[in-house]
């Protein structure tokens, strides 16, 4: 079933056109990535899906309901860390649940342990590395009732090794939690490794240059990155991104 439908979405700031006639969808349980150059309007798209900014034209439909200008229907992890520095790891993870009145502390502790953060439940964000903070934000998102999670370049500040292990961790918690993910990145390898489907944006004003369903089976592990089919995809997507 189609969870999210974005139809003919356009956005301008003043007379500057940012997004131009964007249409795509996300199915239930799917992992879809949007790959595009910096400044092409990816974060702007997410702010529109999150109800923070309104489009100039077009529609955004979640399970049949128009969500333009409506917050709270999706779980959105912005580009920079969204943890509250004065709350502990556990308190950060439980924040959204506290707001909705239903707290499942046991599940939170379980997910924190699964994320390799056992013993850090009562630590504060400044005591954590970049990768650890990112995992805490993800856990909070996976604890939410919303079925769609938007991730905006969550790994761009991490070193290569941390990034690879975060990919595997994200895929494992995604496969256990049956959520849909819409993921934004400018990293080709990351988009290919994680996704079921890949949507490629042009330079600003962005439109959709190409859309691919990826053939790699799951579960995926890092050996995939060096296989010939994977490298072929990397070349294909690279040449699409660099050749206007
Ligand atoms: N509130 C705003 N007012 C004016 N211009 C904006 C605003 N937000 C984003 N932009 C512009 O829109 C373009 C796309 O930005 P953004 O969505 O952050 O791109 P990306 O996430 O793909 O790097 C940029 O040129 C940026 O300067
Ligand atoms: Mg951005």
């Amino acid at each position: 079933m189609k969870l999210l439908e974005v139809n003919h979405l356009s956005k301008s700031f003043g007379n500057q056109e940012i997004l131009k006639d964007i249409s795509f969808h996300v199915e239930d349980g799917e992992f879809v990535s949007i790959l595009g150059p910096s400044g092409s309007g990816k974060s702007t798209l997410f702010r529109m899906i999150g109800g923070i900014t309104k489009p100039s034209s077009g529609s955004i439909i979640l399970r049949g309901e128009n969500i333009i200008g409506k917050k709270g229907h999706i779980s959105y992890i912005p580009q920079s860390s969204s943890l509250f520095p004065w709350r502990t790891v556990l308190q950060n993870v439980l924040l959204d649940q506290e707001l909705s009145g239903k707290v499942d502390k046991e599940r939170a502790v379980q997910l924190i342990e699964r994320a390799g953060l056992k013993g850090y439940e009562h630590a504060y964000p400044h005591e954590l590395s970049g990768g650890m903070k990112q995992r805490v934000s993800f856990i909070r998102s996976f604890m939410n009732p919303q079925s769609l999670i938007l991730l905006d370049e969550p790994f761009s500040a991490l070193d290569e090794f941390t990034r690879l292990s975060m990919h595997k961790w994200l895929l494992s918690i995604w496969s256990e939690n049956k959520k849909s993910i819409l993921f934004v990145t400018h990293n080709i390898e990351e988009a290919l490794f994680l996704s079921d489907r890949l949507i490629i944006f042009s330079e600003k004003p962005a439109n959709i240059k190409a859309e691919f369903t990826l053939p790699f089976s799951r579960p995926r592990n890092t050996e995939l990155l060096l296989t010939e089919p994977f490298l072929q995809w990397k070349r294909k997507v690279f040449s699409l991104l660099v050749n206007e």
Side-chain angles (χ1 to χ4, degrees):
M1 184 201 160
K2 279 188 187 143
L3 176 63
L4 175 76
E5 285 176 83
V6 170
N7 300 312
H8 304 294
L9 202 72
S10 297
K11 177 70 180 174
S12 300
F13 289 111
N15 55 12
Q16 199 188 25
E17 199 175 25
I18 310 292
L19 294 163
K20 197 175 167 176
D21 198 21
I22 301 285
S23 297
F24 68 92
H25 73 277
V26 178
E27 308 260 350
D28 255 331
E30 223 184 356
F31 197 127
V32 177
S33 288
I34 294 174
L35 179 67
S38 286
S40 59
K42 303 181 300 297
S43 296
T44 304
L45 171 69
F46 270 16
R47 282 196 291 273
M48 291 193 286
I49 300 173
I52 300 163
T53 307
K54 284 188 179 172
S56 307
S57 60
S59 62
I60 304 172
I61 313 284
L62 188 78
R63 286 201 202 287
E65 188 191 343
N66 183 354
I67 55 161
I68 284 177
K70 296 182 187 165
K71 296 197 187 100
H73 289 263
I74 49 114
S75 176
Y76 171 30
I77 303 191
Q79 214 161 342
S80 51
S81 171
S82 56
L83 301 183
F84 288 104
W86 59 86
R87 293 188 141 233
T88 64
V89 165
L90 184 60
Q91 288 168 342
N92 264 291
V93 165
L94 291 174
L95 180 70
D96 296 341
Q97 293 205 330
E98 280 172 21
L99 298 175
S100 71
K102 259 174 59 190
V103 173
D104 187 349
K105 194 168 162 187
E106 206 172 307
R107 173 135 192 270
V109 169
Q110 228 172 43
L111 281 172
I112 290 170
E113 286 182 12
R114 277 272 288 108
L117 295 171
K118 192 175 165 58
Y120 286 92
E121 293 85 351
H122 306 294
Y124 288 88
H126 75 267
E127 300 170 71
L128 309 179
S129 71
M132 290 158 93
K133 278 189 250 194
Q134 207 54 262
R135 273 175 275 170
V136 176
S137 308
F138 288 172
I139 295 169
R140 187 165 82 196
S141 241
F142 279 99
M143 296 273 300
N144 283 350
Q146 290 95 334
S147 37
L148 179 63
I149 301 180
L150 306 186
L151 300 173
D152 191 352
E153 306 205 27
F155 305 130
S156 54
L158 304 180
D159 66 79
E160 190 73 10
F161 299 103
T162 310
R163 189 205 298 258
L164 291 175
S165 67
M166 287 293 295
H167 287 163
K168 288 188 66 176
W169 178 78
L170 175 62
L171 287 182
S172 73
I173 90 162
W174 167 67
S175 68
E176 286 164 21
N177 286 273
K178 300 191 177 23
K179 302 256 184 186
S180 303
I181 294 184
L182 184 58
F183 186 95
V184 152
T185 179
H186 56 247
N187 183 309
I188 299 175
E189 184 177 88
E190 170 169 284
L192 289 170
F193 182 70
L194 295 173
S195 323
D196 295 317
R197 217 145 39 79
L198 182 58
I199 293 166
I200 299 181
F201 271 18
S202 69
E203 299 274 351
K204 187 174 68 177
N207 54 20
I208 295 179
K209 263 187 151 177
E211 194 182 316
F212 299 111
T213 297
L214 300 170
F216 314 120
S217 60
R218 297 189 187 272
R220 295 178 186 171
N221 52 46
T222 34
E223 281 95 72
L224 173 66
L225 300 174
L226 294 175
T227 62
E228 197 47 44
F230 191 87
L231 294 172
Q232 272 168 16
W233 271 96
K234 217 169 151 179
R235 271 185 227 115
K236 174 165 149 180
V237 171
F238 181 78
S239 62
L240 247 172
L241 275 176
V242 296
N243 299 324
E244 280 303 314

